[in-house]
């Protein structure tokens, strides 16, 4: 039992390191397992929001939308389960408690984002109309 858990943990660490490498995240060292999982969770939420917008403006078919949404929700469920698993590991004392880190806002201001002047919603790409409030957005502000 302990061996299985230890090897699962080892696999998790390897996958984690590989994921960080391939994604080329700005921070070279992971702060804690939660930090990484929170980032993935935030990324999935952002993808869901983008997806919903593209569907609303008619860029996606019903089928594509439902399929991609299912995939994202499945991925999200996996991340949530992973968070629960890490919490359980910590509660059981199998892995050390990560150092407390300040709670960061989920949405970080970035120069590559396009912000709606009406409701301040942020989008990764320039849009004619805001996906949140539907008001016109100026595509090129830079
Ligand atoms: Zn808006």
């Amino acid at each position: 039992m302990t061996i299985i858990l230890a090897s699962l943990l080892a696999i998790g660490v390897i996958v984690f390191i590989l994921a960080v490498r391939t994604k080329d995240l700005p921070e070279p060292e992971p702060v804690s397992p939660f930090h990484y999982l929170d980032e993935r969770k935030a990324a999935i939420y952002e993808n869901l929001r983008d997806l919903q917008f593209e569907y609303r403006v008619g860029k996606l078919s019903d089928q594509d939308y439902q399929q991609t949404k299912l995939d994202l929700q499945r991925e999200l469920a996996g991340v949530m389960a992973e968070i629960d698993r890490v919490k359980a590991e910590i509660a059981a004392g199998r892995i050390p408690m990560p150092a407390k880190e300040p709670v960061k806002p989920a949405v970080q201001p970035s120069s590559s984002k396009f912000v709606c002047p009406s409701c301040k919603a942020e989008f990764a790409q320039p849009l004619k109309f805001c996906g949140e409030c539907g008001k016109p957005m100026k595509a090129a502000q830079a």
Side-chain angles (χ1 to χ4, degrees):
M1 188 63 180
T2 313
I3 293 167
I4 293 167
L5 282 169
S7 49
L8 274 178
L9 198 63
I11 291 166
V13 168
I14 291 164
V15 169
F16 169 52
I17 290 165
L18 288 176
V20 170
R21 290 267 167 79
T22 51
K23 269 181 156 182
D24 200 17
L25 291 175
E27 51 268 271
E29 293 287 327
V31 181
S32 79
F34 291 118
H35 179 75
Y36 160 67
L37 291 166
D38 281 345
E39 297 229 317
R40 274 192 61 190
K41 203 166 75 174
I44 295 169
Y45 277 130
E46 197 177 328
N47 284 342
L48 275 169
R49 201 164 75 157
D50 287 350
L51 178 75
Q52 204 164 24
F53 174 74
E54 288 191 4
Y55 175 62
R56 250 195 272 175
V57 297
K59 272 205 255 176
L60 286 173
S61 71
D62 249 27
Q63 203 193 347
D64 282 349
Y65 170 67
Q66 296 297 344
Q67 183 56 52
T68 311
K69 196 170 87 169
L70 260 178
D71 288 347
L72 285 170
Q73 283 172 341
R74 209 172 294 147
E75 202 184 333
L76 185 63
V79 173
M80 296 301 212
E82 183 67 9
I83 289 172
D84 282 349
R85 196 185 64 80
V86 172
K87 277 183 186 164
E89 295 270 322
I90 291 167
R94 279 193 284 267
I95 54 175
M97 185 67 180
K100 283 252 185 273
E101 47 178 320
V103 179
K104 283 193 291 180
V107 179
Q108 290 173 341
S110 151
S111 54
S112 64
K113 297 259 182 184
F114 296 85
V115 182
C116 169
S118 303
C119 71
K120 310 294 177 211
E122 290 180 0
F123 302 95
Q125 68 273 33
L127 301 167
K128 277 185 189 163
F129 298 97
C130 172
E132 292 295 320
C133 69
K135 287 182 181 156
M137 279 176 74
K138 273 182 187 161
Q141 281 189 320

